[in-house]
Amino acid sequence: MPLSEQEQRLLEEMERGLYHNDADFVATVGGSSLRPDYRSISIGVLAAVAGIGALIAGVAIQQLWLGVLGFIIMFAGVLFATTPSKSARRMSASAPRSRPNQQQRSSQRGFMDRMNERWDRRQDGQQ
């Protein structure tokens, strides 16, 4: 079911607010400009499929060691397929990250940060 016009507008407004208020979070979660390593993905998927096959074969012929070995191979394949390569990690680590200075950071604080700060000031004033 598609979103109504009001819901789309509200979603876009929330997205703009997120980009504006929490640039570090967006940079962390946002998409990477690096290309995926198709070689490691394909090897990992093949290993996972082989592991599933060994797991099923181990269950079918009632050999515990084969089932455990199949699970280990399957797990290692998925891990290999989803972990970034060393070159991708080096490239992302060397990429410069722009940090806003203190004045920019204070002007881009979120609503909850401002509310917490006001609460702290009230509590300090009452003591």
Side-chain angles (χ1 to χ4, degrees), residues 32-34 88-98:
S32 172
S33 62
L34 302 174
R89 275 185 262 156
R90 269 187 266 134
M91 287 175 62
S92 66
S94 66
R97 294 183 182 240
S98 61

Side-chain angles (χ1 to χ4, degrees), residues 2-127:
L3 296 175
S4 70
E5 194 173 307
Q6 180 185 3
E7 291 170 333
Q8 287 178 348
R9 186 176 43 79
L10 183 62
L11 183 63
E12 289 171 359
E13 183 179 320
M14 289 169 56
E15 186 177 348
R16 280 193 305 270
L18 176 65
Y19 283 128
H20 179 72
N21 291 334
D22 206 350
D24 290 338
F25 175 73
V26 171
T28 303
V29 176
S32 172
S33 62
L34 302 174
R35 292 183 53 208
D37 185 12
Y38 294 112
R39 182 174 176 260
S40 66
I41 292 173
S42 60
I43 291 172
V45 167
L46 288 175
V49 169
I52 290 173
L55 178 67
I56 292 172
V59 169
I61 62 174
Q62 296 179 351
Q63 294 292 321
L64 179 63
W65 65 271
L66 186 59
V68 171
L69 181 67
F71 180 79
I72 291 171
I73 292 171
M74 177 184 61
F75 183 74
V78 169
L79 210 63
F80 188 73
T82 57
T83 357
S85 65
K86 290 180 183 177
S87 62
R89 275 185 262 156
R90 269 187 266 134
M91 287 175 62
S92 66
S94 66
R97 294 183 182 240
S98 61
R99 289 269 176 180
N101 61 23
Q102 184 63 31
Q103 185 180 13
Q104 289 174 333
R105 195 177 298 141
S106 65
S107 68
Q108 294 179 348
R109 289 186 316 210
F111 173 76
M112 290 304 294
D113 292 333
R114 291 192 306 266
M115 290 295 116
N116 285 334
E117 189 176 300
R118 286 176 60 187
W119 176 260
D120 290 340
R121 275 190 269 139
R122 273 192 207 140
Q123 294 300 318
D124 292 340
Q126 292 177 356
Q127 292 176 353

